Amino acid sequence: MEQENVQETVQETVSTNVDTNTSTEVETKVETEQGVQTETTPEVKTEAKPIMIPKERFDEVNGKYKELSGQLSEMQKAKEAMEQQLAEMQKANETTSSSIQQTTEKLEGQVKQYETLIGEMVTTKLQAIPEDMHDLIPEGLSTEQKLAWINKAEGKGLFKKQKTVEIGTPLNHSSEQDTTERMKKMNPLQLFASYYGGK
């Protein structure tokens, strides 16, 4: 019984101390009812031998390393080339976008000039149209549409001033011509006949 009590009360604590002289000792402390006993047992450490790699395996791994190293350098060169192309493309894009912007600004200026010119043309044509016919021009048209409509209407004769015909006057306008103009066109015989024929 006493041995069972001793075994029950025994607590083992293992601690390892490493000596710099390549020897290791293991201390075991055993506690009993009478006291603490310490046992030290030396542990023999074997010296590590260098690991030998077979030549074939070394050549295989070394070959793979060289192959991967070559692939890596090729990828880095390709990456640098792609980055250079990207930089060139970005520069070209900036140049193109700036030229597009300049062209757009220039064209917007020209469009404004043309709109002003068309507006002046419409105003001039409206002044030439009699005031009582302004109601015939449709409302809500843009300046270009209004100019096109007025041109079509003028082409069809809508805004022409019709001459009033007086009743009893000849439709032949030869009598209205200036006599001096008629006389310039006559030969001497016709001049005598007109002079003596009119009396």
Side-chain angles (χ1 to χ4, degrees), residues 78-96:
K79 178 187 172 193
E80 290 173 3
M82 292 176 94
E83 286 175 349
Q84 184 179 6
Q85 286 179 347
L86 179 64
E88 290 173 1
M89 291 174 73
Q90 287 175 342
K91 187 176 181 181
N93 186 22
E94 290 172 3
T95 305
T96 305

Side-chain angles (χ1 to χ4, degrees), residues 97-111:
S97 64
S98 66
S99 68
I100 288 173
Q101 184 178 6
Q102 291 172 353
T103 306
T104 303
E105 290 173 358
K106 181 180 175 183
L107 291 176
E108 285 175 353
Q110 288 179 350
V111 166

Side-chain angles (χ1 to χ4, degrees), residues 129-139 141 149 153 158-159:
I129 297 173
E131 195 68 36
D132 59 337
M133 293 194 174
H134 280 235
D135 295 338
L136 297 176
I137 300 172
E139 296 294 324
L141 296 178
W149 190 91
L158 182 63
F159 300 124

Side-chain angles (χ1 to χ4, degrees), residues 38-164:
T38 305
E39 293 180 17
T40 306
T41 55
E43 188 175 294
V44 179
K45 183 177 182 183
T46 59
E47 218 173 282
K49 293 181 182 179
I51 299 174
M52 298 297 291
I53 301 173
K55 173 83 169 126
E56 294 110 21
R57 177 71 178 148
F58 175 77
D59 289 342
E60 178 185 340
V61 170
N62 193 26
K64 285 183 182 179
Y65 171 77
K66 288 179 180 178
E67 180 183 336
L68 291 175
S69 175
Q71 288 177 356
L72 178 65
S73 66
E74 288 175 10
M75 289 177 150
Q76 286 176 340
K77 288 178 184 178
K79 178 187 172 193
E80 290 173 3
M82 292 176 94
E83 286 175 349
Q84 184 179 6
Q85 286 179 347
L86 179 64
E88 290 173 1
M89 291 174 73
Q90 287 175 342
K91 187 176 181 181
N93 186 22
E94 290 172 3
T95 305
T96 305
S97 64
S98 66
S99 68
I100 288 173
Q101 184 178 6
Q102 291 172 353
T103 306
T104 303
E105 290 173 358
K106 181 180 175 183
L107 291 176
E108 285 175 353
Q110 288 179 350
V111 166
K112 287 180 182 179
Q113 288 176 349
Y114 289 135
E115 286 176 350
T116 305
L117 179 65
I118 290 173
E120 291 173 0
M121 290 173 66
V122 168
T123 305
T124 305
K125 290 209 179 246
L126 284 174
Q127 290 172 353
I129 297 173
E131 195 68 36
D132 59 337
M133 293 194 174
H134 280 235
D135 295 338
L136 297 176
I137 300 172
E139 296 294 324
L141 296 178
S142 68
T143 323
E144 295 86 11
Q145 292 171 336
K146 192 178 280 189
L147 180 63
W149 190 91
I150 292 172
N151 285 337
K152 286 180 185 177
E154 284 178 344
K156 293 183 180 179
L158 182 63
F159 300 124
K160 285 186 179 177
K161 293 183 181 178
Q162 296 179 355
K163 296 182 180 180
T164 56

